[in-house]
Amino acid sequence: MKSMKGIGLLLISNILIYLTLSITVRVLVNVVLPAFGIDVRGAFSQELLVWSLVIGFGGAFISLLFSKQMARAMLDCVQITQPRTTAEQVIYGSVREIAERLHITMPEVWVYESPDPNAFATGPSKNNAMVAVSTGLLANLREDEVKAVLAHEMGHVFNGDMFSTTVLAGLMNTFVHYISNFVYQMVAQPQGGDREEGQSGSPILGFVVYIFLQVVLSVLAMMVVSWHSRHREYAADAFSAKVYGKESMIKALQAIDRWVNRAQFEYSTQDTLATMKISGNTSGFLHLLATHPPIEERVAALERL
């Protein structure tokens, strides 16, 4: 998990939190409470849309609220508060300079151990964010290229990409929860929950269908959110081009691409987290789940600016 980008981390944590909340509510309403003589299944059915909104957006915003803490927990990282080396001075100074120009609170600056040239930004808001860079990025990119990548991440912070992604994820979660529960009720309690003789449903079959739909629809929802993420990557690239010039960002992307080729990584078959990385090289179905466009497409977009 150490090389995941911020939005990728947000998506994964959002899905895990959402599925946990969703399945917990389903078990609570249909198994635990009835065992104690409390039957609220009818009320749950009538208020399905409200429940879907609460659980859908709840999972998304919980993951956003704790995004910095989750990122730090998954990384072998060190926060920079007083730069000691030239590299630390470059990344800390660049983030501070851009934050001052944008009139936002300076994000926390972290460096984490990873051979991949990577960086990410995360946090609940543009005034409560963190920017982290890998040791691989510092080792393989020149100073102007590192600064361009930092400007790219600051573009995510300033544009509120984490928040917009969270809202979209919450909306997708709501649809997933509503549809899966609606189908569950159709299978487990046919004809609006009537339990006449010969009309009783199958709660076990309904629960199996419910879990199946939760997984399948969550993957489809992630495809929509990943498409949004790829779109925002182009905007962050353009932001970096405005700050330090497009050539620096182009050179940074090309340097990352060279590192991938030199290391001979086969991301599509060996790296399960390739879809979440700057340097991830995915194709086919995995491309639909990628949070980043191919590097060559990003370079071409920058050249057109």
Side-chain angles (χ1 to χ4, degrees):
M1 303 287 281
K2 292 184 178 181
S3 297
M4 292 177 64
K5 288 282 287 180
I7 291 180
L9 174 64
L10 178 67
L11 293 182
I12 295 295
S13 60
N14 163 68
I15 289 177
L16 293 177
I17 293 173
Y18 160 71
L19 289 176
T20 300
L21 289 175
S22 182
I23 294 174
T24 299
V25 169
R26 170 57 58 198
V27 173
L28 182 67
V29 169
N30 290 277
V31 179
V32 178
L33 292 181
F36 289 91
I38 304 173
D39 191 350
V40 295
R41 284 172 287 188
F44 180 78
S45 176
Q46 295 171 6
E47 304 298 337
L48 178 56
L49 181 58
V50 175
W51 275 105
S52 298
L53 287 168
V54 171
I55 293 176
F57 280 91
F61 278 96
I62 288 174
S63 64
L64 177 66
L65 184 62
F66 293 99
S67 57
K68 293 199 301 181
Q69 290 85 343
M70 288 187 291
R72 292 195 294 266
M74 293 178 179
L75 300 173
D76 179 12
C77 58
V78 176
Q79 184 176 8
I80 300 176
T81 55
Q82 296 292 333
R84 298 178 181 178
T85 67
T86 301
E88 291 181 354
Q89 290 173 353
V90 169
I91 58 178
Y92 187 87
S94 297
V95 172
R96 181 176 59 187
E97 175 192 355
I98 297 171
E100 290 175 350
R101 290 170 60 177
L102 297 175
H103 303 290
I104 63 175
T105 303
M106 181 176 173
E108 300 173 11
V109 180
W110 294 76
V111 175
Y112 64 96
E113 289 290 336
S114 174
D116 292 6
N118 220 328
F120 70 87
T122 192
S125 71
K126 63 183 179 181
N127 289 311
N128 183 15
M130 68 175 284
V131 174
V133 300
S134 69
T135 53
L137 187 82
L138 300 177
N140 290 280
L141 271 65
R142 300 188 311 184
E143 179 177 322
D144 61 325
E145 297 166 352
V146 171
K147 294 173 70 173
V149 172
L150 290 169
H152 170 98
E153 300 304 336
M154 288 296 290
H156 282 309
V157 173
F158 183 69
N159 292 332
D161 288 340
M162 300 301 292
F163 181 81
S164 64
T165 300
T166 298
V167 172
L168 180 59
L171 183 61
M172 292 297 101
N173 289 348
T174 299
F175 281 119
V176 171
H177 189 79
Y178 183 86
I179 293 172
S180 58
N181 277 279
F182 180 80
V183 174
Y184 167 83
Q185 292 172 359
M186 294 291 291
V187 175
Q189 303 174 26
Q191 296 187 1
D194 293 340
R195 297 181 180 275
E196 300 175 0
E197 185 177 352
Q199 295 292 329
S200 61
S202 174
I204 296 177
L205 176 61
F207 189 73
V208 171
V209 172
Y210 168 80
I211 295 297
F212 174 78
L213 287 176
Q214 282 280 313
V215 175
V216 173
L217 293 177
S218 292
V219 172
L220 294 176
M222 190 172 180
M223 290 168 55
V224 176
V225 182
S226 296
W227 170 86
H228 169 75
S229 173
R230 293 194 297 272
H231 176 72
R232 298 313 303 160
E233 287 301 313
Y234 290 116
D237 285 345
F239 180 89
S240 177
K242 289 181 181 179
V243 176
Y244 290 122
K246 66 179 183 180
E247 291 302 323
S248 294
M249 190 63 205
I250 290 174
K251 288 190 294 182
L253 290 171
Q254 291 173 337
I256 293 171
D257 196 38
R258 286 194 301 270
W259 182 89
V260 173
N261 294 329
R262 187 168 60 248
Q264 296 182 337
F265 273 98
E266 293 293 336
Y267 281 94
S268 61
T269 58
Q270 295 181 15
D271 191 346
T272 57
L273 298 179
T275 57
M276 306 300 178
K277 299 180 182 180
I278 298 176
S279 51
N281 181 19
T282 58
S283 59
F285 175 74
L286 284 180
H287 176 70
L288 298 177
L289 298 177
T291 59
H292 289 67
I295 287 182
E296 58 271 18
E297 293 182 13
R298 294 172 63 181
V299 170
L302 282 166
E303 291 174 339
R304 290 194 296 269
L305 292 179

